[in-house]
Amino acid sequence: MPQIKNVFSSNRVNPPPQQETARPVTVADLLQRGANQNDRSVEPTGFNSIHELRNFARNNPLPNTLYRAHFGDREEIDAYGLERSDASDKKSGDDYLADIIKHTARTGGSGGGVLSLSGSLQTARRFATGRTVVQIDASAFSGRFKTTAQILLDDADRLMAAQKVSPNTVRKALENLQSEGESEAFYLDGDIPRNAVTQIY
């Protein structure tokens, strides 16, 4: 009797090998590699570990009162609050958080596209030429104001994984945060509402 060929075994298609996906870079990775004397693939940031960054955030908490030297005039601020400069491209959500990190990574500001705030009236007054100094109540919108350090801790990993911000930009933001020694703060929803403004100088 002729032997019947097993068509099932001979025609079976092997599944393609699973490709390994690289794990996204995290803030902890950047800090650890930057602090490693034997690994120069990442420049040092000044923070040696994620614990040091957490300590920095804990030691520089969000103040209840914030200040900004704003480019709008007094009447505009009194009517509308603090608005960003580019009305045609006002980003929100993770896109705005990514712009905040990019702002921190630069040294020249953002031209009003990102509204940075300081806990120091003296710092705000230093930038006051041609601007209006404004006082803001950070407790007016609970959880919607954050320091740069807290944004880097809470959001940078997610933003890098989503490729909204590059690891090199995050590394530079961490370096600038450490070298300046004072964390800026931001309103996470962009334009700052009028009822958060408590005084216009």
Side-chain angles (χ1 to χ4, degrees):
M1 184 176 177
Q3 193 172 7
I4 299 172
K5 193 172 183 181
N6 187 342
V7 293
F8 295 104
S9 62
S10 62
N11 291 340
R12 187 167 48 223
V13 177
N14 291 327
Q18 293 282 328
Q19 286 192 346
E20 279 189 35
T21 54
R23 182 177 67 82
V25 175
T26 65
V27 171
D29 294 334
L30 294 173
L31 297 176
Q32 184 178 12
R33 286 161 60 189
N36 184 350
Q37 299 278 334
N38 300 318
D39 182 357
R40 279 293 161 252
S41 62
V42 174
E43 289 293 315
T45 63
F47 294 104
N48 291 314
S49 68
I50 195 72
H51 305 293
E52 285 191 9
L53 178 59
R54 288 192 185 115
N55 285 339
F56 181 94
R58 197 165 30 248
N59 294 333
N60 295 274
L62 179 74
N64 287 328
T65 303
L66 295 166
Y67 302 91
R68 174 172 173 78
H70 195 64
F71 47 80
D73 63 35
R74 188 184 186 89
E75 289 73 25
E76 286 175 347
I77 294 167
D78 198 32
Y80 305 111
L82 307 184
E83 296 186 308
R84 287 168 284 172
S85 59
D86 191 351
S88 64
D89 186 28
K90 290 189 176 180
K91 296 179 184 175
S92 61
D94 279 357
D95 291 326
Y96 188 56
L97 284 168
D99 275 1
I100 288 171
I101 292 174
K102 290 171 188 174
H103 163 87
T104 305
R106 288 191 295 265
T107 53
S110 65
V114 170
L115 303 184
S116 59
L117 309 168
S118 173
S120 163
L121 176 58
Q122 184 179 358
T123 298
R125 282 186 165 148
R126 220 170 52 228
F127 296 95
T129 304
R131 298 186 178 201
T132 305
V133 175
V134 180
Q135 179 178 298
I136 296 149
D137 178 10
S139 64
F141 294 86
S142 181
R144 301 316 296 159
F145 288 90
K146 273 187 186 178
T147 62
T148 308
Q150 206 59 55
I151 290 169
L152 288 164
L153 280 168
D154 294 346
D155 305 298
D157 288 355
R158 183 182 73 257
L159 296 172
M160 285 190 288
Q163 298 184 344
K164 289 185 179 291
V165 67
S166 72
N168 191 52
T169 298
V170 172
R171 190 211 67 77
K172 189 62 181 173
L174 288 160
E175 181 185 335
N176 288 346
L177 176 66
Q178 174 66 272
S179 63
E180 288 167 11
E182 182 201 4
S183 181
E184 291 178 307
F186 301 87
Y187 179 62
L188 305 186
D189 299 322
D191 296 348
I192 299 172
R194 173 63 183 91
N195 53 347
V197 176
T198 52
Q199 192 166 345
I200 303 171
Y201 292 91

